[in-house]
Amino acid sequence: MALFVQIGATRDGLDPYLHAARAHAMQAVLIETPDYIRLRRALGRQEFDITLAVEHPAHEDEVVAALEQLPDIPSIILAGFERYIYNVYRIAHRLHIPPCDEKTHFAPPDKAMQRTMLTRKHIPIQQPGYITLEHGMLTEQELASLAYPVVVKPVDGGGGLGIFLAYNFAEVKAALARLHATANYDGEAFSGVIIEEYIRGTEYSIQGVAHDGRSQILALCKKVILIEPIEAENQITLYSFREAGHLASAGDQADAATQQFSQACVDAFGYRNGPFHIDMIETSDGYAFLEMGFRLSGNGLAKLVRLVSGYDWGEEVFSIFTGVRAAPPLQIDKALRFGGQITATSQKALDTAHQLQEQGYAIEIDLFPSVSAPVATRSLEADLSRHLGTRGRIIVRASSMEEVERILERCSS
């Protein structure tokens, strides 16, 4: 039986690659840290056929040593979580398996490299002013080229971890101190920091796949982003970002400007085959590029993509890499072609959703299991701060985006 390997578990409770692997009659293997494997089981997540514990899934040699326990070379290796996308490509090239592209030898650029590539190649994609740091020292003069407020973030983070909004140099220094004290997923340090101008506008994300270098948008999401205050040292207040919800429409409804923007990003980074998501801000001058991820989005978006478009995102990826389609796209209800979701942080939100559900609204409620707080080891610090503590997810479908937004506002009020 062919083997599929996933490095890193998803954090949203969905397992689109696991389902796709089983549809393709492949044995599914998960590689994760011992601590997160225990947490995943406590959360009652689906079991892979084989689970291998690796202390550092971001380290190539450790993962390759674990793979030697398998009966055969994997047919496909993919990342279930952003932290491990870079190692997936290193190993794929080493083993000559998808998503390795023997023609281009694509390697996913981190957030700083993406900015640098757009600048050096003179790609006509709007992006904020920025500087990158490979060390912890910074002078106010080095920031003189940027306009406040600025966003301070790691170049290889994920899930909103370690991203801060700063309005002056004192806050930037506090953000850097906080960031340097923060562990990445699996407990390791971040490899660098980028500071960029904050762009005001409405944030969107594209969920799609690239096939032979052609971009296909599966869904377009308008994001609900909350900016929340957090206390730092010396009575300084910082602000962090939380992705609280999404309003989604199918990719075939995206306008020409969005289609062109998506293709321009795929072209800019030489991405030929596989999943991607693109985060951008809509401004008066069009879209401004924030970042591109070469994986499936988390935060429940794989399910939302399927609800509004009919596409199983994981299956689309497997179809590209195997050349075989195990399941065709679903026919969606055209009367409910728009969708949205919010993360429920209170019982009141869930109660309201239940009441609306009983009144006949197209609402799904995914409850998250509550578990006793695990021991806060360094490899779990990021997950305990970013991915636990919410009560569930409220998912809505309706005939218009305005109706979706109205229903979600009633739940979140």
Side-chain angles (χ1 to χ4, degrees), residues 99-125:
C100 168
D101 187 331
E102 297 291 357
K103 294 181 180 178
T104 64
H105 296 282
F106 173 81
D110 65 23
K111 296 173 178 62
M113 183 55 68
Q114 289 176 27
R115 296 244 175 268
T116 302
M117 290 174 72
L118 293 180
T119 300
R120 288 179 178 171
K121 292 183 177 182
H122 303 289
I123 304 294
I125 294 176

Side-chain angles (χ1 to χ4, degrees), residues 94-171:
R94 183 166 171 172
L95 300 180
H96 304 286
I97 60 174
C100 168
D101 187 331
E102 297 291 357
K103 294 181 180 178
T104 64
H105 296 282
F106 173 81
D110 65 23
K111 296 173 178 62
M113 183 55 68
Q114 289 176 27
R115 296 244 175 268
T116 302
M117 290 174 72
L118 293 180
T119 300
R120 288 179 178 171
K121 292 183 177 182
H122 303 289
I123 304 294
I125 294 176
Q126 182 187 175
Q127 64 172 336
Y130 68 94
I131 63 170
T132 58
L133 299 176
E134 295 181 358
H135 52 79
M137 305 299 293
L138 179 70
T139 66
E140 193 164 5
Q141 186 176 4
E142 289 177 285
L143 276 179
S145 62
L146 303 184
Y148 287 105
V150 296
V151 177
V152 182
K153 64 183 182 182
V155 301
D156 59 344
L161 178 67
I163 303 179
F164 303 103
L165 183 64
Y167 287 86
N168 54 55
F169 185 63
E171 292 178 6

Side-chain angles (χ1 to χ4, degrees), residues 115 125-128 199-207 217 219-223 225 243 254-255 257-262 265 276-283 286-293:
R115 296 244 175 268
I125 294 176
Q126 182 187 175
Q127 64 172 336
I199 299 177
R200 289 180 171 85
T202 303
E203 187 167 342
Y204 287 86
S205 66
I206 292 169
Q207 285 68 42
I217 299 177
L220 175 67
C221 288
K222 177 182 176 181
K223 294 187 179 185
I225 303 292
E243 206 166 298
D255 61 20
T258 305
Q259 297 281 359
Q260 291 168 6
F261 186 84
S262 179
C265 292
F276 67 83
H277 65 87
I278 301 169
D279 295 332
M280 65 270 199
I281 297 281
E282 186 178 45
T283 73
Y287 288 127
F289 177 83
L290 291 181
E291 60 188 53
M292 184 170 180

Side-chain angles (χ1 to χ4, degrees), residues 204-407:
Y204 287 86
S205 66
I206 292 169
Q207 285 68 42
V209 291
H211 192 190
D212 291 332
R214 182 180 62 84
S215 160
Q216 179 185 359
I217 299 177
L218 303 182
L220 175 67
C221 288
K222 177 182 176 181
K223 294 187 179 185
V224 179
I225 303 292
L226 302 182
I227 299 177
E228 302 174 323
I230 56 174
E231 292 184 4
E233 296 181 356
N234 301 321
Q235 298 182 324
I236 290 177
T237 299
L238 294 173
Y239 297 86
S240 64
F241 299 86
R242 182 162 64 88
E243 206 166 298
H246 307 84
L247 304 171
S249 58
D252 59 11
Q253 299 180 56
D255 61 20
T258 305
Q259 297 281 359
Q260 291 168 6
F261 186 84
S262 179
Q263 186 63 55
C265 292
V266 168
D267 293 342
F269 303 121
Y271 191 51
R272 297 285 300 167
N273 293 293
F276 67 83
H277 65 87
I278 301 169
D279 295 332
M280 65 270 199
I281 297 281
E282 186 178 45
T283 73
S284 58
D285 296 322
Y287 288 127
F289 177 83
L290 291 181
E291 60 188 53
M292 184 170 180
F294 306 93
R295 61 176 182 92
L296 303 185
S297 301
N299 225 341
L301 281 174
K303 182 173 184 176
L304 195 58
V305 167
R306 188 167 186 171
L307 287 177
V308 300
S309 71
Y311 285 102
D312 182 317
W313 203 358
E315 169 60 26
E316 293 307 305
V317 175
F318 269 66
S319 298
I320 289 171
F321 289 134
T322 65
V324 175
R325 180 171 291 281
L330 297 175
Q331 294 296 317
I332 64 169
D333 185 348
K334 295 296 184 180
L336 300 172
R337 61 187 305 187
F338 296 93
Q341 64 180 23
I342 58 169
T343 301
T345 57
S346 70
Q347 186 60 44
K348 181 180 179 182
L350 295 174
D351 291 342
T352 302
H354 277 296
Q355 292 168 8
L356 294 173
Q357 192 180 52
E358 291 170 356
Q359 294 172 23
Y361 290 95
I363 293 176
E364 292 183 53
I365 302 170
D366 290 343
L367 296 178
F368 298 160
S370 58
V371 297
S372 299
V375 176
T377 60
R378 185 166 176 80
S379 71
L380 284 182
E381 283 181 9
D383 281 295
L384 295 181
S385 66
R386 298 299 301 181
H387 295 289
L388 292 181
T390 52
R391 292 176 175 266
R393 188 177 294 117
I394 299 168
I395 306 158
V396 172
R397 287 184 295 157
S399 59
S400 69
M401 192 66 79
E402 292 76 17
E403 178 71 357
V404 170
E405 192 164 12
R406 186 181 68 82
I407 296 169

Side-chain angles (χ1 to χ4, degrees), residues 166-184:
Y167 287 86
N168 54 55
F169 185 63
E171 292 178 6
V172 169
K173 290 196 296 183
L176 289 173
R178 185 81 174 243
L179 186 54
H180 290 312
T182 301
N184 203 343

